[in-house]
Amino acid sequence: MKKKIIIALLIVAVFSLSAVVRIKDIAKFRGARDNQLFGIGIVVGLNGTGDGGTLNSPLLANMFKNFGIPISEEDIKSNNTALVMVVADIPPFYKEGMRLDVIVASLGSAKSLENGVLLQTPLYGADGNIYAVAQGPVSVGGAEVKSSVNLQSRFKVTGYIPNGALIEKEIPANIVSDNSVTILLQNPDITTSARVATAINEKFSVKLAKAVDPASVRVQIPDAFSDDIITFLSIIEELEVIPDQAAKVVINERTGTVIFGGDIKISDFTLSYGNFVVSIKNGEIDGQEATISNLISALKALGATPQDIIGIIEELHKAGAIYAEIKVM
């Protein structure tokens, strides 16, 4: 016998409360961006788990030559060394002498980089210049456990060196152009862009900011801050806004997870799905309106499995009954 759920839609004015956040948490200033660095180096000190061939022999031979030790490539066939790619991100405004975290990954046939040490490796930017030098002991992380699903097993051909790179050259960053700065939203949105501009203009009681497009807000620097731009930017960063967000439901079919934000509305419908007949009409469900949240609660109360709930949500979306974007992972 099929179970029947009658869900009625109560028509009321509902205002969804979103989180109030700082501009600093949802945007960055144009020009203040990370840059990627890379290099190729040698990890030594491996306990027989290195490349074991001639792949890294030319590099090692050149290193020995630089130290005044003549040795041929043919004489170097060590299982204790590995050729690796070294990568790092350098944040904006980082100066000479500051340090970066480094990731290393095997390029050859090494079985493990565990307990190895990266030899001094220059790190290049996209322009071909050296901006940092990396060196240090490699940590492969993870855990040697099989009993817990919460711990990630070791993946030993990639590694991590905390503070493993020393910056040798600063990458110039300029965030001021034509006496203005541009704020770039991490998640472009027309409404959020307009709210950011409004918050800035209200703070300074003058129209300094203009929303150029969903991703950017241009702000003029007032004369009072012409010689103290950092203070002006810090004031902007601390201003609070309510970012707007389109209704979205994220479904992970593999884990049976449904993630949604806000009170996502559902229109009238009748759906027959397996042992369930789901029907939304003018009325109520437990004194509440028809939303994704209330629908899921009702289905769970009647014993629906995560797969049942996901299947019903997907069918409702296909029928146009859910007023939200559905993303299936």
Side-chain angles (χ1 to χ4, degrees), residues 160-313:
Y160 178 71
I161 308 178
N163 294 321
L166 190 65
I167 297 177
E168 298 291 339
K169 182 180 179 181
E170 177 186 356
I171 297 180
N174 184 18
I175 60 177
V176 178
S177 176
D178 296 330
N179 200 40
S180 66
V181 295
T182 300
I183 298 172
L184 300 179
L185 298 180
Q186 296 174 5
N187 296 304
D189 180 86
I190 292 175
T191 303
T192 303
S193 181
R195 288 176 181 174
V196 168
T198 299
I200 295 172
N201 292 334
E202 290 180 350
K203 173 64 177 179
F204 294 97
S205 300
V206 62
K207 190 173 182 179
L208 300 175
K210 178 182 179 181
V212 179
D213 54 46
S216 56
V217 178
R218 185 180 297 115
V219 185
Q220 289 294 127
I221 301 173
D223 294 338
F225 290 95
S226 60
D227 61 346
D228 194 5
I229 296 175
I230 295 301
T231 298
F232 176 64
L233 299 184
S234 70
I235 295 173
I236 291 177
E237 284 188 332
E238 291 298 319
L239 293 178
E240 294 183 334
V241 296
I242 300 176
D244 198 57
Q245 186 176 4
K248 180 184 293 186
V249 179
V250 179
I251 295 174
N252 189 321
E253 293 184 328
R254 181 176 60 84
T255 61
T257 303
V258 179
I259 302 174
F260 54 92
D263 295 328
I264 297 176
K265 306 299 188 296
I266 306 174
S267 65
D268 291 357
F269 72 88
T270 299
L271 170 68
S272 176
Y273 181 89
N275 293 327
F276 301 96
V277 172
V278 183
S279 180
I280 290 183
K281 298 179 180 178
N282 293 329
E284 298 179 348
I285 176 173
D286 296 331
Q288 298 178 340
E289 64 183 338
T291 64
I292 287 287
S293 178
N294 294 333
L295 172 62
I296 291 177
S297 296
L299 291 172
K300 287 174 65 178
L302 292 175
T305 66
Q307 287 70 30
D308 292 331
I309 294 173
I310 288 174
I312 290 173
I313 291 176

